[in-house]
Every structure is written in structure tokens, then in C-alpha cells.
Amino acid sequence: MTPAHPTTDARVVIIGAGIVGCSLADELTARGWTDVTVLDQGPLPAPGGSTSHAPGLVFRTSPSKTLTAFARYTVEKFSALQVDGLSCFNPVGGLELATTPERWADLHRKAGWAASWGIRGELVSPRRCKELWPLLDEAMILGGFHTPDDGLARAVLAARAQMDRAQQHGARFLDRHTVTGIEQADGRVTGVVTDRGTFPATHVVSAAGFWGPVIGRMAGVDVPLLPLAHQYARTKPLPELAGANDPRTEASKPILRFQDRDLYFREHTDRLGIGSYAHRPLPVDPFTVLPYDAARARNLDMPSSLPFTTEDWAPSWEDSRRLMPALRHTDIEEGFNGVFSFTPDGMPLLGEAGTLGGFWLAEAVWVTHSAGVAKAVAEWMVDGHARTDLHECDLHRFEDAQRSPAYVHDRGAQQFIEVYDVLHPLQPPEQPRPLRVSPFHTRQQELGAHFLEGGGWERPHWFDANAHLVTDTPERDPWSARHWSPIAAAEAKATRERVALYDMTPLRRLEATGPGALAFLQRMTTNNLAKKPGAVTYTLLLDEKGGIRSDLTVARLAPDRFQIGANSPADLAWLQRHAPADVHLRDITSGTCCIGVWGPLARDLVQPLTRDDFSHEAFGYFRAKQTYLGHVPVTALRLSYVGELGWELYTTADLGLRLWDTLWEAGAQHGVIAAGRAAFNSLRLEKGYRSWGHDMTEEHTPYEAGLGFAVRMDHGDFLGRTALEQLPPPQRKLTALLLDDPAAVVLGKEPVLVDGTPAGYITSAAYGHTLGRCVAYAWLPAHLPTGTGVHIEYFGEKLPATVAEEPLFDPKMTRIRR
């Protein structure tokens, strides 16, 4: 959004002088916002939060492209900072060990992420692991993943260096100031109250770490974050390390992960530091954490450093001694339980609160990502948008059902447990489930649905009732066979040949009403919505730089009433932030439900249930109609995301079960089945339909993503239009690939090699059961012509694939428009 105040008027108060607060002050002042005050309750430069005890390990490679970008910038920035002649980053490298076949396979997958995101790394032999870390028992090791440019961030020094730079640009840092309140007026923040005075502000940023929920409560802003204690210990001096390291730099060997036992290691000159995630979750109530002086009075080093629980440590110490036999001749000299933050999905909380203008969060951020996060938040505040895609970190991303204290506790604790686990991309959480179910849930259970979870919703991925329809399908490798069944192929085939019911209830639905609704939506989106009631339009939400914030399906149901198919809670927050007084927006998802009826026999199923004409001539593609099916009032949208004739049928939640039963009974004579998300994803990729958040994000423009058809430059001004007018020709594009081997499957995020060199990465992939090949979409150079051969690296194997022309299935749209 456009900054609420011009640069000269911006007055910023940052709460928290840890690594995030100091980094943000530096980034803001470097961009000209010099009226910046940073407050902390503890002494500077180590005020006692998580930064003050952080071991500083920086492994950049992550399944999240965004987190990897944050970490890359953090390394670059800290490497350029010095304090008293000492660099704020020690590039000793990183080494992750595999002692089980499953972990060794996972390291191959991690090497693929590194190649996709541009991180230098290599898989190495047990002998090479031993060379890099002579203390290891080589016999335990199957291999390792070595990233030579990772290393150790000196967090307190980096905070001090950035503090000094920010002060040179006009910022001030005040320690021993305990925040007691957040002042506000007319829906905007106006100041921060402390025990030593009040500080006026146009922008307040909570970078308080595990105290974030405390600050949030003062502002009336929910902060879904759980502080947890994590064990860290140092050994006594080891003879094997005597003289090996300069005391100023402390370490020369790579930071080490032994993830099979939830452990990591780093050198402290002649000692080893050992961190463990192997113990039980140890949640901490942020409202009871002692202030700095009170903690010191109780013989604690700092508020974030709690007493070491030796009973939790014993198994990890034994595992450490197995890995490094030299540790059998020493003991632990000191240890503590350090407090830091977890969210329900393990990602940071970033952005401006929807309920209080000017109040920002930069929370749940680890040292690894600190400078990158600060840069993105500073860009967001000053320019109105970040240059890095932040949808995974947007504080509005959680559903209301995911923000309860119980949910935040349960999922935050599980995130701690899973820090080093090998997680499949489809792996659902175990608890709390079931949380959200559609009105059809009982019927789905009766049909033997296999549920996975998304957004708290139970989502059927296939149904055992369709097992008798299975024919021969290619065998899958063990990884891609997880959370999948050959029944999905049968369900896709039945959709192509007959008709199927899909539960589309979890798709987000918004309603926009009011006299200004049309003008508002025209201004916010790229396509022309000024059509008669009954029209449905596919359109895009852009940010100011022309990046795709979301894609929407907008049905005009009345002159001043629109139903909007959106993607996440952040879409509603974005629209509400820009909406004028004469527009009312609300989320209607929970009170409604939706069934997709798709397949060549869809009209045969639906038409006998209604007196309205559902012929193609009377009810064309991308049209809407409010009608009745049997006894059930429905809003029917002539849409199809599987490439077949059909409708999305909406009704209220209380009538959902009746709608399902009505359709099921009428469909019996047509061989109707219930089909799941696995078949849906296969069919939509065959048709080339994009999935926001996977195939495109704010980092991509409509023309790069192949969505230029949804941009109408002649419908007036809209958000992002100016940026689109100034864009150069695309240098990359979202490209369809078909794997050459009919049995090969990839899942997403794998690197794509052109002429043997990584040139892009897979966004979405699924086996195209109609095409008999795996379909994969990838971001690749725009110049690659159809027919170009490439390779996709999958667990170290290079699978041949070919650039294909879109759409792969039914290019003339004859199956949908009939």
C-alpha cells in the first residue's frame, strides 16, 4: 500500500533492540526515514532477548524460497559489517549429516532446493565429512550436505554494528525503557508509552521477539506466537580442539547438524556448543518472563536464558557421544534453556495490523533471517511493498480458527518437535484435527475419504469407494507415493468420462456490497468487471510494482453485490485496507459451502433438478445464476478448474448436506463419484490453470505468469497499472513441462537444468492421468521454445523433460463450452 505518511513525516518507534530491531533501524534510516527510536527494557547492546544468547548458526537452504532469500541477504550484509576489526559473520560453512537412508534421501532433496534457490552446496561422502569434522565417527555416517558459504553470525556484534550505522543516520536507541502501552486514535497508532515517558509515533514496529504477544495485547493486536525453551550446552575444553581456533573467531569447522537425533554443533574455541531439539516442548508464558534485572537477581544470565533441565539433556548427550567419541572423555561445563519463538506454521509474522494502522509486526524471526526480514519490512513501510514475496510470512495468513491460544500452543509446540524432521510436502498435522469440516464430511467418511489438511480444513484427497475403478497405473517411488493413491487416477478418469462431485468448500469466498462496490473492485483489480449482473470474471490483485498479490474470480450477482473467490485471509485484509466507506466486505466462507459438479455428464445430472435452463445457450461459460436445485437454493457459477463441463454450486452451510444428497441421488444413473484433491490437482495442471502461492506470487507479473489475458488496460486506472506500463519484455515465464518417462513423477521445488546448468525451478507438478505423463510447471528463461529438452533434478537423479505448448489438454476449450 502507499505509505500513510510521506518520508519527512514518518516517526517510527521500534520496540526491541535485538537483531531484528537493530537491523530494521539500519534499513529504515538508510532509506531516509531518520526519525527512528528503538526502545528496549534491557541494557544495550545485549538487552537479554533471544539475540543475546543465540548460537548464530546460519544455514540458508530452506524449502521456502523466501526464507532462503532472507538468509542469503543476512549473510551478505553481516559479512560486510565489522566491529573492532572483527567480521560479524564467520563463513565456516555448514555440514548436515545423514545416518539413516531416509535422511540421506532428504539431503538429496535439500541439495535440490539449494540448486533451485541459487545456494552453493554439494553432497559429500562419509570420508569427506570426516575430513571436515575429524571428531566424527565415520562409520555412523552415510553422507553429508556441505554448504561452504554458510556459517556463524555474531548476533550481538551485528546488532551493535547496525545500531552504530543507524545512529549515524539519526536514529536513537534507548535502553532501560519498559513499554507499558500503545497509544492510538482514529484507528491509527499515535505513540508508545514507557515507564520513562511517552514517544509519539506514526509507525510502531513490534520486534520484541518472544515478548511479541505482550506488546500485541497492549495494541489490541493478536500475535499468534508461542515462546519455547531450547537446550544449549557447552562442553569442557577438549584436547582435540586445543590450539585449533583463534579465540576471536572461535570456530573454523563447519557448523554441524545431526538431524537424525535433533542436534547441532558449533565450536567455541576449544569447546563444543551443542543445541538440542530432542527434548519435550518447553513452552514459556511471555507474560511471566522476568524483566532483565529481576532475572539477574535470580542468578539468570538474562530473561531469555532459563535454568538448564538436566533430565531433558541426558539422551542428547549420549547421542552426541556416539557421534563424536572424543566427548566420552569430557562433560558438560555449562548449559541453559534459551527462549525463542515459534508460530503455528514455523514462519515469521510480518506486516501491518489490519485493526490498527501504523502498527507493524516483525516477530518470530531467527538470527538466520534477521537482516533479510528487516530489509523486506523496511521496503514495505517506505515503498508500500517489499521486493521479496512475503505471502508465507503475512501476519494475516492464518484463519480465525488458527489463531486461538490453544491452536497456537499445539501447533507451535509441534513446530518445535518437527524442526529437524523429514517432512513430506503433503504431510498433514496430527493435531488439532478435525478442526474445520464441510457439511459433506459425514458423507465423505462413509465413502472412505482419505483426508489431508489445509487452512484447518479436512480435505478429501481420494475415496476408498472408488478403489474398484482402479486400472493399471505406473508405480511410484516411495517418496511420491506418500499421501497418494492410484485411486486418484481412477477419479480423474471418471471426471473426464462421466461426472464427479468435488468439495470446494475450503476455497475462500468474500462478499462485496454497497453503492461503491463496482468502482472499488475496478480500481483494485486488473480485468473489467463492469458487466451486467450474472457475469463472472477472472481477475488479479496486484501490488504497486505489478506483482501478483492474488487471483480472484468475481461474480456480479446484483448491481451492487459481488461474490469473490479468493485465496487467503490476507486477500480480505488487503481489500479492507483500501475499501472506501460505501463498500462493505465480509468473509462468507464459513457460512456457505460449495460443490463442483464436473464432467461431460454434468448437465445431464443438474438439469433435471431445476426449472431454469442450464443449456450452453442459456447459461454460458463464466456466467452466474441464482436458482434452486430440488429444495436447495443455490448460486451456480459456470466455471471449471478441471477442464470439463460443469458448475460450482454454492449454498448456505445448513443446506449443504441436502445439496450433496440431492446431487448424489440424481447422479446415480450417470455413474457419479466423489473425487478428491489429488485428482483435482492433476486435472487442473493438464489444463494449465495456475495456483496462486505456488505457481505465481508477488514476485511475478501477469505477463510472466501467462495471465496477460486477465489484464484490461482499457478499463481505467487500477492498482499496479503504472508499473505494468513500464515493464520491460519478460525475461522469464511460467513454462509447462512434460516428463519424458511415463513413470517419472516430481512434486515441486526441484531445480530445472538447461544445458546442464540450473535455470529455474518447479512450482507445481502432478501426474497427468489423461496425458500419461507427469505435468510440471516451472519458472524458466522466456526464450526456451516448445520442444526444448531440459532435466529436472529429483533426489539427485536427472529426469528428462520437454517444454510443452499450452494448454496441454483440450486447447480449443470444446469440453468446457458445450
Side-chain angles (χ1 to χ4, degrees), residues 59 95-100 103 136 140-141 255-265 275 316 318-324 420:
F59 287 93
L95 179 62
E96 302 183 51
L97 303 176
T99 60
T100 65
R103 183 68 61 181
L136 296 175
M140 288 184 59
I141 302 167
I255 49 177
L256 185 69
R257 278 175 168 169
F258 180 23
Q259 291 164 297
D260 288 321
R261 306 311 278 174
D262 296 306
L263 292 166
Y264 64 82
F265 304 83
S316 292
E318 289 306 310
D319 289 331
S320 300
R321 287 174 153 182
R322 280 196 312 115
L323 182 68
M324 300 185 191
Y420 283 167

Side-chain angles (χ1 to χ4, degrees), residues 340-501:
F340 63 132
S341 305
F342 285 82
T343 58
D345 61 2
M347 297 294 286
L349 296 170
L350 309 179
E352 186 177 10
T355 55
L356 181 59
F359 184 82
W360 296 76
L361 295 185
E363 297 290 11
V365 180
W366 294 8
V367 171
T368 301
H369 311 114
S370 54
V373 163
K375 175 177 178 288
V377 173
E379 291 170 346
W380 202 346
M381 295 176 69
V382 175
D383 303 327
H385 56 266
R387 287 166 176 76
T388 304
D389 168 50
L390 300 181
H391 83 275
E392 293 176 307
C393 309
D394 193 313
L395 64 91
H396 301 289
R397 67 188 181 271
F398 295 115
E399 307 281 350
D400 287 344
Q402 297 173 303
R403 304 183 77 96
S404 70
Y407 187 94
V408 173
H409 177 279
D410 291 350
R411 292 300 305 142
Q414 190 63 30
Q415 286 294 324
F416 179 91
I417 293 170
E418 294 175 350
V419 162
Y420 283 167
D421 285 2
V422 176
L423 298 176
H424 192 277
L426 292 177
Q427 183 169 322
E430 295 181 2
Q431 296 294 335
R433 292 183 65 195
L435 183 61
R436 307 177 78 185
V437 298
S438 79
F440 327 125
H441 186 70
T442 299
R443 295 293 183 263
Q444 292 165 347
Q445 288 179 309
E446 292 169 354
L447 293 169
H450 283 250
F451 294 99
L452 301 182
E453 187 261 12
W457 287 99
E458 294 297 312
R459 300 186 178 196
H461 274 241
W462 68 86
F463 293 85
D464 285 342
N466 299 322
H468 68 284
L469 301 174
V470 173
T471 57
D472 291 337
T473 57
E475 289 191 12
R476 290 197 171 205
D477 65 275
W479 184 253
S480 67
R482 291 190 189 184
H483 306 294
W484 178 86
S485 168
I487 295 173
E491 293 176 359
K493 186 173 187 290
T495 306
R496 290 276 188 242
E497 296 180 352
R498 299 193 306 278
V499 62
L501 305 185

Side-chain angles (χ1 to χ4, degrees), residues 363-644:
E363 297 290 11
V365 180
W366 294 8
V367 171
T368 301
H369 311 114
S370 54
V373 163
K375 175 177 178 288
V377 173
E379 291 170 346
W380 202 346
M381 295 176 69
V382 175
D383 303 327
H385 56 266
R387 287 166 176 76
T388 304
D389 168 50
L390 300 181
H391 83 275
E392 293 176 307
C393 309
D394 193 313
L395 64 91
H396 301 289
R397 67 188 181 271
F398 295 115
E399 307 281 350
D400 287 344
Q402 297 173 303
R403 304 183 77 96
S404 70
Y407 187 94
V408 173
H409 177 279
D410 291 350
R411 292 300 305 142
Q414 190 63 30
Q415 286 294 324
F416 179 91
I417 293 170
E418 294 175 350
V419 162
Y420 283 167
D421 285 2
V422 176
L423 298 176
H424 192 277
L426 292 177
Q427 183 169 322
E430 295 181 2
Q431 296 294 335
R433 292 183 65 195
L435 183 61
R436 307 177 78 185
V437 298
S438 79
F440 327 125
H441 186 70
T442 299
R443 295 293 183 263
Q444 292 165 347
Q445 288 179 309
E446 292 169 354
L447 293 169
H450 283 250
F451 294 99
L452 301 182
E453 187 261 12
W457 287 99
E458 294 297 312
R459 300 186 178 196
H461 274 241
W462 68 86
F463 293 85
D464 285 342
N466 299 322
H468 68 284
L469 301 174
V470 173
T471 57
D472 291 337
T473 57
E475 289 191 12
R476 290 197 171 205
D477 65 275
W479 184 253
S480 67
R482 291 190 189 184
H483 306 294
W484 178 86
S485 168
I487 295 173
E491 293 176 359
K493 186 173 187 290
T495 306
R496 290 276 188 242
E497 296 180 352
R498 299 193 306 278
V499 62
L501 305 185
Y502 287 82
D503 182 358
M504 306 305 290
T505 300
L507 297 185
R508 178 162 301 279
R509 292 172 292 286
L510 311 178
E511 183 182 72
T513 57
L518 174 61
F520 167 65
L521 292 174
Q522 287 279 76
R523 189 170 66 255
M524 293 300 296
T525 70
T526 61
N527 213 332
N528 184 14
L529 307 180
K531 303 171 183 176
K532 294 180 180 179
V536 183
T537 307
Y538 178 80
T539 188
L540 306 173
L541 287 177
L542 305 183
D543 63 16
E544 288 83 352
K545 68 180 188 303
I548 304 171
R549 279 194 59 94
S550 189
D551 63 339
L552 310 176
T553 302
V554 181
R556 191 176 191 185
L557 302 180
D560 59 355
R561 182 163 68 93
F562 297 81
Q563 180 173 304
I564 303 168
N567 285 293
S568 86
D571 292 342
L572 177 60
W574 176 258
L575 291 171
Q576 286 177 327
R577 186 177 299 280
H578 292 83
D582 62 350
V583 175
H584 179 63
L585 292 159
R586 67 187 184 107
D587 190 324
I588 61 172
T589 309
S590 297
T592 56
C593 58
C594 178
I595 300 174
V597 182
W598 291 312
L601 301 182
R603 185 176 287 114
D604 299 279
L605 190 161
V606 174
Q607 183 63 80
L609 300 174
T610 178
R611 296 181 179 180
D612 286 310
D613 188 351
F614 270 53
S615 68
H616 182 66
E617 294 73 21
F619 195 163
Y621 192 51
F622 265 78
R623 298 293 298 172
K625 185 173 292 189
Q626 293 177 294
T627 184
Y628 289 86
L629 295 183
H631 298 89
V632 182
V634 300
T635 298
L637 306 187
R638 177 88 185 274
L639 303 177
S640 173
Y641 287 97
V642 299
E644 297 292 337

